[in-house]
Amino acid sequence: MVSGEGAEKTPLVSLIAGGTAGGVEATITYPFEFAKTRVQLHDDSPTKNPFKVIKAVIEKEGPRSLYKGCETLVAGTILKDAIRFISFDSIKAAFKDPETGTLSPLRNLLAGISAGVVASTFAVTPTERIKTALIDDARHDKRFTSPWHATKTLIAEHGLTKALYRGYVTTTLKQASTTAVRLGTYNTLKDFERLRDIPQTTATTFANGAVAGTIVVFVTQPFDTLKTRAQSVRGAGVKEAFTSVITDYGVKGLWRGSTMRLGRTVLAGGILFTTYEWVAALIQPVLDKKLLPKRSE
């Protein structure tokens, strides 16, 4: 049972629970992210099966290659999810209906978009840029020895803004839409279940997260594909990224890597929200006890 489900989460709880959930999810599911990024970066492999791509990488480059760029993604995901959960929960608290305590689908969507823009600006774009550059570099040049080395090299070659904020528009489009759909869907499902007194068990939370993750993939995949092209080592603008994908694969190319992303996102959605609710339920009572004396003074 996920206890404390109906309790109002404080900003500190949202920050800690969101960051912890993001780190756990990113570490467990990173091989799927690696395989998806490889396919989107002109990879020659015709297969769409993530397990076959992972197997091929292990055979050719060794198992450690599957976690190339992982440190950057995990660090970025911890920061990203901490920011977007605290943003979403804060906005949600301001937007909710005072009588029912729920949000309309439109307000859920707007809260998610707002949280996604904030997360993209302060966390996602820089870390996704370095992660993508590391995976791209590992295919051929192998210039970068670590995330820090890649960051320093790219800044020296392109300047701070172009090095870390390459692909900001496509990343923000992807992040805003992903956050809006994922958190909006998840919160709508929770509100639906709460109004009908459906128990919020661990299985229910995982299932809600998985459903939200499935919807996310098919709605936002074109933004993800363009983001990956824009943030490769060579880099590209939105128009150039779009043109290159259409030239290489046609319109269907905008959904390239969706099978691999689906595998990761469905699993990630379940892990993310389950971990978030667990951690929030664990630390909320502890923080409440520490803060209550101060509140009463």
Side-chain angles (χ1 to χ4, degrees):
M1 180 75 177
V2 182
S3 61
E5 189 67 30
E8 190 69 36
K9 298 179 181 66
T10 63
L12 182 58
V13 169
S14 296
L15 186 72
I16 296 172
T20 303
V24 171
E25 174 267 311
T27 302
I28 293 175
T29 64
Y30 188 76
F32 289 99
E33 174 69 15
F34 180 95
K36 180 218 62 168
T37 304
R38 269 289 178 90
V39 167
Q40 290 175 330
L41 289 169
H42 302 281
D43 192 84
D44 297 328
S45 175
T47 182
K48 294 182 179 180
N49 186 323
F51 295 101
K52 289 185 179 179
V53 174
I54 291 170
K55 180 174 180 291
V57 170
I58 292 175
E59 291 175 347
K60 293 180 180 179
E61 304 170 40
R64 292 184 62 183
S65 296
L66 285 175
Y67 278 86
K68 189 75 172 179
C70 180
E71 309 98 309
T72 306
L73 183 69
V74 170
T77 301
I78 290 173
L79 184 59
K80 172 194 72 177
D81 284 317
I83 290 172
R84 74 176 179 179
F85 270 110
I86 191 173
S87 300
F88 185 77
D89 284 342
S90 299
I91 296 168
K92 183 176 70 173
F95 283 4
K96 70 180 181 181
D97 186 308
E99 294 184 2
T100 65
T102 62
L103 275 74
S104 67
L106 179 59
R107 288 187 175 187
N108 264 314
L109 191 67
L110 292 174
I113 290 173
S114 302
V117 172
V118 172
S120 176
T121 302
F122 292 102
V124 181
T125 299
T127 53
E128 282 283 323
R129 162 63 167 157
I130 299 304
K131 178 217 71 176
T132 303
L134 282 165
I135 294 175
D136 192 21
D137 176 74
R139 294 168 60 237
H140 299 300
D141 299 332
K142 296 181 173 61
R143 291 192 303 154
F144 305 143
T145 58
S146 67
W148 177 239
H149 179 245
T151 303
K152 291 193 299 182
T153 302
L154 291 171
I155 290 176
E157 292 176 353
H158 305 290
L160 182 63
T161 303
K162 288 187 177 180
L164 298 184
Y165 281 86
R166 170 83 72 179
Y168 175 73
V169 174
T170 51
T171 303
T172 302
L173 285 171
K174 180 226 173 181
Q175 194 60 36
S177 59
T178 296
T179 303
V181 174
R182 173 177 272 178
L183 295 186
T185 300
Y186 177 76
N187 197 59
T188 299
L189 289 170
K190 280 185 63 179
D191 286 346
F192 176 86
E193 292 160 354
R194 185 182 298 116
L195 291 174
R196 288 158 181 78
D197 296 322
I198 298 174
Q200 293 297 293
T201 64
T202 298
T204 303
T205 301
F206 194 96
N208 288 347
V211 170
T214 302
I215 296 172
V216 160
V217 171
F218 293 107
V219 172
T220 68
Q221 186 61 26
F223 296 131
D224 186 72
T225 301
L226 294 177
K227 174 201 71 70
T228 299
R229 283 294 179 94
Q231 291 185 323
S232 63
V233 174
R234 185 172 64 87
V238 179
K239 183 178 179 180
E240 185 183 351
F242 178 81
T243 302
S244 68
V245 171
I246 298 300
T247 300
D248 289 343
Y249 309 112
V251 175
K252 289 183 179 180
L254 292 171
W255 277 267
R256 190 168 176 81
S258 58
T259 303
M260 297 176 190
R261 187 178 171 214
L262 183 63
R264 181 200 172 207
T265 306
V266 170
L267 180 62
I271 293 171
L272 180 69
F273 289 110
T274 302
T275 305
Y276 176 72
E277 299 293 358
W278 274 354
V279 175
L282 182 67
I283 65 176
Q284 182 77 66
V286 177
L287 291 177
D288 283 346
K289 286 181 182 178
K290 290 184 177 180
L291 294 174
L292 277 175
K294 294 183 179 180
R295 289 173 180 167
S296 62
E297 291 177 356

